[in-house]
Amino acid sequence: MADLLGDLADLRRRAREDRHAYAFPLLFFGVASFLALPLYAPAEPSARGLDVRHPALLDLYWSVVLVVGGLATVWWYRRRGARVGIETSTRGYLGALAIGLGGPVVGVALDHLPFRFHSGTGVGLIVLAAATVLWHRQAPRAVTPVAAVLGTAVLQHDQPVIAQFIAIGLGLVVLAALERSTRFTTITAAYLVVLCVSAAFTPLAVPVATTWSMGSVVVLPGSVLLLGGLAGLRRG
Amino acid sequence: MAEHPTAALDDVVHQKHRLGILTVAAEAKRVEFGYLRSTLELTAGNLSRHIAVLEQAGLVAVEKGYDGRRPRTWVAVTPAGRAALAAEMAALRALVERHVASQP
């Protein structure tokens, strides 16, 4: 009987390993992060502020990256599932993508609230944590997405510089849960930690802002994405 | 007196290969016939028979389609199949625990 349970555990482990396809989204978003660096050129070479020269272009770039990257990830998972013969559900990831993209839209409404949060980041994280608990407890269908949308929107509104990385992180959390991969979960956890560090310390405050000082915001999360993607490739 | 764990074993699910099919299928949205055949090391005929038994019991859903010109059969576990698998695993673990506890 114990042998049978051991055999079943092996089958489960093999099925999970065969489903792994996380290298692609990590590499895609990692490369896209570093390609965004030139767009972080400061508004004026001598400016001390945190404005980029072409904010609309930067916003457009990240919107395109999120949409194309998200759809390409779904395509990749489906293609790999068809090729290997074991398919991962991508519905949850599509939901996370929609939430990440919809966050800034909801954020516009937050500007018109008659009050301000003392710490939008704190509120956003609490609401997102609540959404995660609701998801695990399989709360009524509408409650979890509403909490996730609100939490993401508040967080992105309070941390606009890393809003795109919050959207990517949301997708990674959902993918890691779907894949049930310890390695991917570890990479995602490292990414989230690095994102917090990035939110606290970047863009680097230097006497004269440069593209590198402004673009420092993409270096830490982008590096974790790239290294995680390479680790995923090596694993196969 | 508590019921013996063997009473919770379901004949349809308990068969080793069917348990394997359900275990693999429960890990994914759906799984292809060829993948199951190679993973479980079964012949096509044998696997078809086991899948038919599970389908008849409402534990899996079978979907036939094409990948280009290649016909493919996909197997997905149903909510009833998921519940039956969970019950079977719980019964098996209870049996193992009972066996371990009875050792001197």
Side-chain angles (χ1 to χ4, degrees), chain A residues 9-23:
Chain A
D10 286 343
L11 273 179
R12 203 175 297 123
R13 191 164 42 243
R14 182 174 165 184
R16 285 177 188 179
E17 277 174 12
D18 288 340
R19 282 198 303 125
H20 292 172
Y22 61 83

Side-chain angles (χ1 to χ4, degrees), chain A residues 11 50 72 121-122 209 214:
Chain A
L11 273 179
L50 299 174
T121 302
M214 297 287 284

Side-chain angles (χ1 to χ4, degrees), chain B:
Chain B
M1 192 174 162
E3 199 177 42
H4 194 277
T6 48
L9 296 175
D10 179 339
D11 283 344
V12 175
V13 183
H14 186 63
Q15 201 280 338
K16 187 184 171 185
H17 297 309
R18 289 198 284 270
L19 199 48
I21 294 168
L22 282 176
T23 300
V24 174
E27 284 300 316
K29 180 186 168 193
R30 57 182 193 164
V31 59
E32 210 260 326
F33 187 88
Y35 179 86
L36 281 174
R37 203 180 55 187
S38 64
T39 306
L40 301 171
E41 296 172 354
L42 291 172
T43 63
N46 204 354
L47 177 60
S48 287
R49 276 192 292 278
H50 286 307
I51 289 175
V53 171
L54 291 170
E55 190 183 17
Q56 213 165 15
L59 303 180
V60 298
V62 177
E63 188 187 323
K64 290 181 190 293
Y66 284 90
D67 181 18
R69 286 184 178 178
R70 211 167 121 212
R72 302 192 89 174
T73 302
W74 294 90
V75 178
V77 70
T78 62
R82 234 172 252 283
L85 177 64
E88 184 73 17
M89 296 304 286
L92 286 174
R93 287 193 190 104
L95 268 173
V96 171
E97 279 169 21
R98 200 181 170 104
H99 175 70
V100 171
S102 67
Q103 295 293 307

Side-chain angles (χ1 to χ4, degrees), chain A residues 138-151:
Chain A
Q138 294 173 339
R141 205 159 268 219
V143 179
T144 308
V146 167
V149 168
L150 284 177

